[in-house]
Amino acid sequence: MQMDERKRKILRAIVLDYIATAEPIGSRTIARKFDLGVSPATIRNEMADLEDLGLIEQPYTSAGRIPSDAGYRYFVDCLMDPQELSEEQKKTIERESTKQIHEIQEVISHTSKLLSELTSLTSIVLGPHKGKSTFGKMHFLPYQPGQVIMVIVKENGVVENHIVDVGENLTVEELQHVAGVFNQKMRGYSPGQVKRSLLHDIYSELSRQRILIDNTMDMLRTILDDHDGDERIYLGGTLNMLNQPEFKDLDKVKTLFKVFEENGSLKKLLHPLHEGLNVTIGGENMLKEFRDCSLISASYKVNGITIGAVGVLGPTRMDYGKVIAIVDCMTRSLTGVLTGRRL
Amino acid sequence: MQMDERKRKILRAIVLDYIATAEPIGSRTIARKFDLGVSPATIRNEMADLEDLGLIEQPYTSAGRIPSDAGYRYFVDCLMDPQELSEEQKKTIERESTKQIHEIQEVISHTSKLLSELTSLTSIVLGPHKGKSTFGKMHFLPYQPGQVIMVIVKENGVVENHIVDVGENLTVEELQHVAGVFNQKMRGYSPGQVKRSLLHDIYSELSRQRILIDNTMDMLRTILDDHDGDERIYLGGTLNMLNQPEFKDLDKVKTLFKVFEENGSLKKLLHPLHEGLNVTIGGENMLKEFRDCSLISASYKVNGITIGAVGVLGPTRMDYGKVIAIVDCMTRSLTGVLTGRRL
DNA sequence: TGTTAGCACTCATCAAGTGAGAGTGCTAAC
DNA sequence: GTTAGCACTCTCACTTGATGAGTGCTAACA
C-alpha cells in the first residue's frame, strides 16, 4: 500500500487538528473541518489504511485517531509547509537578542527565556563550551595578610580568580617568581597531566614557598578539572509544561521535572546532535522520560565554529512549523550576536 | 472557656495524628489510638470546645477534625516536646557540612540540598550578603592585545575580574598609573556616588587613556551596582512538594512553582525575619501562595554577624518538631563552618 | 472499481442513584 | 461530669443508564 495524495491530505488534517485540539479526531470531523470533497465513509477507509501503515493510532476502540510518532515524522518531513515568522516576531527576536550584550551568560540565559516565551514551551540551552581547560597563565595579586589573589587565564581565554593562603608573608618579588615558574612549566597542561617530574621541578625551584605551591596546585586542580563549569544548561519555561494537557497527570510531571533537575542527561540530549536543525520526535528520543515529547534543537556558532546548542522541548503534539521557525531564527540571531565576540 | 489539660492532650493528639496521616481525625479514632482514659463521646464534647476556640476545624460536616493555623500555632508554642536529633543525624549534618569547604557558594548550595533531603521538604536558603559593594582596590593584568584583565577587590572582600578594552596598547606602567589613580580616588565609593568632580579629576589626570577609563567606569557600574549578584536564593527539593498529598492538585503546584521561579518574593519571605529561629504558619505567611504552607527559618552568622538565612518550606501539616530540630542544627553547623572564614 | 449511505456495535464520559462508613450533636441515663 | 445510644449528615466508591462520538462492515450506487 502506498501513500497517495488523498492519504497525505488526511494525515495532514489529522496532525494539524490534533496539534490544535489535543483531542482524537474522527472521520466525520475531518470531513466537516477540512474540505476534502469526500464523505466520512471514504475517509474512514483511508484512515484504516493509514493505521495499517503505522502513521496513526487509536487510543481505544471507537475513539478518533491520533498521529503516531511515525505520523509526526512523516508530517515534519513531507507534509509541513515551511513556516515563516511574521516580521513583527522576527523584529522581537532581533531586538531582544541584542538587548543584553554585556556578558555571554546573560545573552544565553536571555535567549532561553525568550525561546520559552515565544513558544510557550520549555527551552533548553547548552551554554558555550570554551575549548580545552588547560593552564595558560597565572598572576598573583596582594589581598590580605597571608593571602593572595590568584588569577588564572586558561588557554581558552577564560579568566578566573581565587584566594590562596600563602602560609607566611611573601614579598611581591617572591610571588612573581612563583608565578613565573608556573607559567614557564605548566602552559598547555591540565593538572592531571602534570607529570611527577614537572612537579618535582617546581618544588625544587621553589623550596621556601611550599604552602603556597600546595594550595595553588589544589586550586588549579579544582579549577581546571572542573569540566562542568563550562557548558552550563539553561532551562526556561519549565512551568509551561504544566499547561499542556498531556501533563495533567502528576506522575508524568514528577518524572519530567526530575530530569530537569539533574541536568547531566539534558546535556547528553543536546550534545550528540548534528550540525544545523534537528527534530527528534517521541520515542526517537534518547531519554525514556521524554517519550511523549519532541525536541527541536539547533546548534549555534561563533566565528563559524559550533560551540553550543539551543532546544525547545514540548509534547509530541507541538506546532512543529512554528517552533522550527522560531528555533531557526533564534540560532541565526544568536550566532549573529556572538560572532566577532570574544568568549 | 479555657484550655485545660485534657483539651491540650486532645489537641496534641489531633495535630500529631493529622501530621502523620493527612486525614481528618474523629473522636473514636483518638480514643482508640491515644490512651486518654475517656470515651469518644467525652472527646466529642471537648472537640466542640476546641472548635469554638478556633483551634481545630471540620473540612465538612461530619468529617473528622483537622488543626487550624491557630491550632498548629498553639501546638508549636505550647504542646510540642522539643525534639533532639539522633546522634547519627547530627553526625551526618556535621560530616556533610564540612565536606565542601572550598567555595562559600558550594557550602550554601550543599546546605540547601542537605536540608531538603533530611526533611523531604523544600529548602530555601538565602545566600550571604556581603556587606556594601563599594570599590576597594583595582589591578590590571595583561590579557590580549588591546585588552586587559581588570581585577576588582570590593570593600567587602569579594574579588571579581572582567575583560576591558583598552583602545590602544598601553604599557604596564601606564596601566599601573591608571589603576593607581582609581585606587586613590574611589575607595569606599560606589559608581553611583562618584561625584562629577571626582570623575573630572580622574579624566584630567589620565588624558590619554580615555577609552580605558570609559570602559572601566562602565564595568565598575555593572559590577558594583549589581545588588542581585549577592544574596542569591538557593532552592532545594522543590520536587518534594509534589509528594505531599496537599499538592496533588495541579493548580496548586502551578502557583507554588511560579513563586519558586521568580525568587524575588522568596527573598522577601526570608528577609524581614528576626534573629534566631522563626516558625511561620499558614496564613501568617506574607505570600498568599503559601497560605497552605509553613516555613521554619533561621538566620546564620559569620563571626557573630547575621548574614543570611535558611528555611524549610512544607505544608502546614509538617513535622514541626523534627524540622525545627534540623533547621536549628543546620544553622549552628553552618555558622560554625563559616565562622573564622573570609567571605 | 471506487465511493457512499446505512446500520449495528463499541467505548468513554457524565449524571444520577445507592449503600457503606465515618463522624457528629443531642439527649438521657449513670 | 461522663458515657451510651441514636438519629442524622456527609463523603466516597460504586453501579447504572443514557448519550454521543466513532468505527467497521455491507450493500447499493455511479
Side-chain angles (χ1 to χ4, degrees):
Chain A
M1 186 175 9
Q2 280 297 326
M3 290 295 282
D4 56 24
E5 192 49 34
R6 195 166 63 191
K7 282 195 181 57
R8 266 193 281 274
K9 274 187 181 165
I10 291 175
L11 177 57
R12 188 161 171 279
I14 293 174
V15 173
L16 287 178
D17 194 79
Y18 187 64
I19 284 175
T21 65
E23 301 283 328
I25 177 170
S27 52
R28 193 197 169 94
T29 321
I30 295 182
R32 201 161 10 93
K33 280 200 191 173
F34 298 80
D35 195 22
L36 301 182
V38 289
S39 79
T42 309
I43 294 176
R44 272 206 290 286
N45 289 330
E46 297 285 38
M47 283 165 91
D49 291 351
L50 286 172
E51 189 160 4
D52 287 344
L53 287 167
L55 296 173
I56 58 179
E57 48 197 25
Q58 268 181 307
Y60 51 85
T61 329
S62 86
R65 305 304 217 289
I66 62 174
S68 68
D69 284 2
Y72 284 121
R73 171 55 64 196
Y74 192 93
F75 173 79
V76 169
D77 291 345
C78 312
L79 304 179
M80 199 175 57
D81 346 282
Q83 212 166 313
E84 276 285 310
L85 295 183
S86 68
E87 275 310 307
E88 196 187 345
Q89 280 178 304
K90 278 189 193 168
K91 265 189 194 160
T92 307
I93 293 181
E94 278 302 325
R95 181 160 28 84
E96 290 295 321
S97 298
T98 48
K99 210 168 169 182
Q100 290 276 8
I101 51 165
H102 204 64
E103 283 267 21
I104 186 152
Q105 278 98 328
E106 286 176 43
V107 177
I108 303 288
S109 78
H110 198 246
T111 299
S112 167
K113 204 172 151 214
L114 187 54
L115 259 183
S116 61
E117 275 169 13
L118 287 173
T119 58
S120 300
L121 298 172
T122 298
S123 67
I124 308 175
V125 180
L126 188 60
H129 76 260
K130 299 164 183 167
K132 277 200 302 187
S133 271
T134 48
F135 185 91
K137 204 170 177 193
M138 164 193 296
H139 307 271
F140 287 116
L141 295 171
Y143 185 56
Q144 300 282 332
Q147 293 183 313
V148 295
I149 304 169
M150 174 181 72
V151 181
I152 296 293
V153 184
K154 299 188 197 174
E155 276 211 312
N156 56 19
V158 176
V159 183
E160 284 190 34
N161 56 313
H162 294 264
I163 309 296
V164 181
D165 285 325
V166 183
E168 54 187 310
N169 282 345
L170 300 180
T171 64
V172 177
E173 286 72 29
E174 283 175 306
L175 287 172
Q176 280 191 346
H177 183 211
V178 175
V181 173
F182 270 98
N183 287 337
Q184 190 192 327
K185 303 271 182 190
M186 279 199 57
R187 161 153 287 166
Y189 289 105
S190 77
Q193 297 169 315
V194 171
K195 303 215 178 60
R196 248 164 220 295
S197 56
L198 202 98
L199 206 60
H200 189 75
D201 280 6
I202 296 177
Y203 270 129
S204 61
E205 281 204 40
L206 308 160
S207 52
R208 201 167 90 79
Q209 296 85 356
R210 194 158 189 122
I211 299 175
L212 174 59
I213 310 283
D214 284 342
N215 291 342
T216 305
M217 281 304 293
D218 266 7
M219 275 291 175
L220 285 178
R221 261 186 276 276
T222 49
I223 296 168
L224 297 175
D225 287 347
D226 174 23
H227 296 296
D228 284 345
D230 308 346
E231 299 206 331
R232 231 193 88 188
I233 286 273
Y234 296 79
L235 278 174
T238 48
L239 287 187
N240 287 338
M241 279 299 191
L242 297 183
N243 295 323
Q244 302 296 337
E246 24 274 283
F247 288 97
K248 63 179 194 292
D249 177 20
L250 251 188
D251 280 334
K252 278 193 185 175
V253 174
K254 255 189 247 181
T255 55
L256 192 70
F257 276 52
K258 197 152 243 159
V259 179
F260 288 162
E261 231 178 32
E262 27 138 325
N263 48 26
S265 12
L266 292 181
K267 280 188 192 174
K268 269 186 225 148
L269 204 66
L270 282 179
H271 240 155
L273 295 172
H274 313 93
E275 293 281 299
L277 201 135
N278 285 74
V279 180
T280 320
I281 296 169
E284 300 170 7
N285 232 305
M286 279 174 50
L287 293 177
K288 67 177 191 307
E289 289 87 350
F290 288 176
R291 212 178 291 148
D292 301 326
C293 297
S294 286
L295 177 71
I296 315 291
S297 57
S299 51
Y300 60 90
K301 303 179 180 190
V302 171
N303 305 327
I305 301 159
T306 299
I307 57 157
V310 313
V312 170
L313 186 80
T316 44
R317 182 193 62 76
M318 69 158 76
D319 187 342
Y320 289 91
K322 179 182 150 199
V323 176
I324 288 174
I326 289 175
V327 169
D328 190 53
C329 178
M330 205 72 187
T331 42
R332 277 173 213 283
S333 154
L334 194 57
T335 297
V337 170
L338 295 181
T339 287
R341 157 200 286 259
R342 156 159 309 284
L343 286 187
Chain B
M1 188 174 10
Q2 278 297 325
M3 288 295 282
D4 55 25
E5 193 48 35
R6 194 166 65 190
K7 282 194 181 56
R8 267 193 280 273
K9 273 188 180 164
I10 291 175
L11 176 58
R12 188 162 170 279
I14 293 174
V15 173
L16 286 178
D17 193 81
Y18 187 65
I19 284 175
T21 65
E23 300 283 328
I25 179 171
S27 53
R28 192 197 170 97
T29 320
I30 293 182
R32 199 161 10 94
K33 280 199 190 174
F34 298 81
D35 194 22
L36 301 182
V38 291
S39 78
T42 310
I43 296 177
R44 273 207 289 286
N45 289 331
E46 296 287 36
M47 282 164 91
D49 290 352
L50 286 173
E51 190 161 1
D52 286 344
L53 287 167
L55 296 173
I56 58 177
E57 48 199 24
Q58 269 183 306
Y60 50 84
T61 329
S62 85
R65 307 303 218 289
I66 61 174
S68 66
D69 285 0
Y72 284 121
R73 170 55 65 197
Y74 192 91
F75 174 79
V76 169
D77 290 346
C78 311
L79 304 178
M80 199 175 57
D81 345 283
Q83 211 166 312
E84 276 284 312
L85 295 183
S86 69
E87 274 310 308
E88 195 187 346
Q89 280 178 304
K90 277 189 191 166
K91 267 188 191 159
T92 307
I93 292 180
E94 276 304 324
R95 182 160 27 84
E96 291 293 323
S97 299
T98 49
K99 210 168 169 183
Q100 292 274 8
I101 51 164
H102 203 64
E103 282 266 23
I104 187 152
Q105 278 98 331
E106 285 176 43
V107 177
I108 303 289
S109 78
H110 199 246
T111 300
S112 165
K113 207 173 147 211
L114 187 55
L115 260 183
S116 61
E117 275 168 14
L118 288 173
T119 57
S120 301
L121 298 173
T122 299
S123 67
I124 309 176
V125 181
L126 187 61
H129 76 258
K130 299 166 183 165
K132 277 201 301 187
S133 270
T134 47
F135 185 91
K137 202 168 178 197
M138 164 192 297
H139 305 272
F140 287 117
L141 296 170
Y143 186 57
Q144 302 279 334
Q147 294 182 312
V148 296
I149 303 168
M150 173 181 74
V151 180
I152 295 292
V153 183
K154 301 187 196 174
E155 277 211 312
N156 55 20
V158 176
V159 183
E160 282 190 36
N161 53 356
H162 293 265
I163 309 296
V164 181
D165 286 322
V166 183
E168 55 188 309
N169 282 345
L170 300 180
T171 65
V172 177
E173 287 72 31
E174 282 175 307
L175 286 173
Q176 281 190 345
H177 182 212
V178 174
V181 173
F182 269 98
N183 287 338
Q184 189 192 328
K185 303 272 182 191
M186 277 200 60
R187 161 154 283 164
Y189 288 105
S190 77
Q193 299 169 312
V194 171
K195 303 218 176 60
R196 248 164 221 293
S197 57
L198 202 99
L199 206 62
H200 189 73
D201 280 4
I202 295 177
Y203 270 128
S204 61
E205 281 204 39
L206 309 161
S207 53
R208 203 167 88 77
Q209 295 86 354
R210 191 155 193 125
I211 299 176
L212 174 60
I213 310 284
D214 283 342
N215 291 341
T216 304
M217 280 305 294
D218 265 7
M219 275 293 173
L220 284 178
R221 260 185 278 274
T222 49
I223 296 169
L224 297 177
D225 286 348
D226 174 24
H227 297 296
D228 284 345
D230 308 345
E231 297 209 332
R232 231 193 88 188
I233 285 274
Y234 296 79
L235 278 174
T238 48
L239 288 186
N240 287 338
M241 280 298 192
L242 298 183
N243 295 323
Q244 302 296 339
E246 23 273 283
F247 288 97
K248 62 179 197 290
D249 178 18
L250 252 188
D251 279 334
K252 279 193 184 174
V253 174
K254 252 189 251 181
T255 53
L256 193 69
F257 276 52
K258 196 152 245 160
V259 179
F260 288 162
E261 230 178 33
E262 27 138 324
N263 48 25
S265 11
L266 292 182
K267 280 189 196 175
K268 267 186 229 150
L269 204 64
L270 283 179
H271 241 156
L273 295 173
H274 314 93
E275 293 281 299
L277 201 135
N278 285 76
V279 180
T280 320
I281 296 168
E284 299 171 8
N285 230 306
M286 277 173 50
L287 292 177
K288 67 176 189 307
E289 290 87 350
F290 288 175
R291 213 176 292 147
D292 301 328
C293 296
S294 286
L295 177 72
I296 315 292
S297 56
S299 51
Y300 61 90
K301 304 179 180 190
V302 171
N303 305 328
I305 301 159
T306 299
I307 59 157
V310 314
V312 170
L313 187 79
T316 43
R317 183 193 61 76
M318 69 157 78
D319 187 341
Y320 289 90
K322 181 181 150 200
V323 176
I324 287 174
I326 291 176
V327 168
D328 190 53
C329 178
M330 205 72 187
T331 40
R332 277 172 213 284
S333 154
L334 193 57
T335 296
V337 170
L338 295 182
T339 286
R341 158 199 286 260
R342 153 158 310 285
L343 288 187

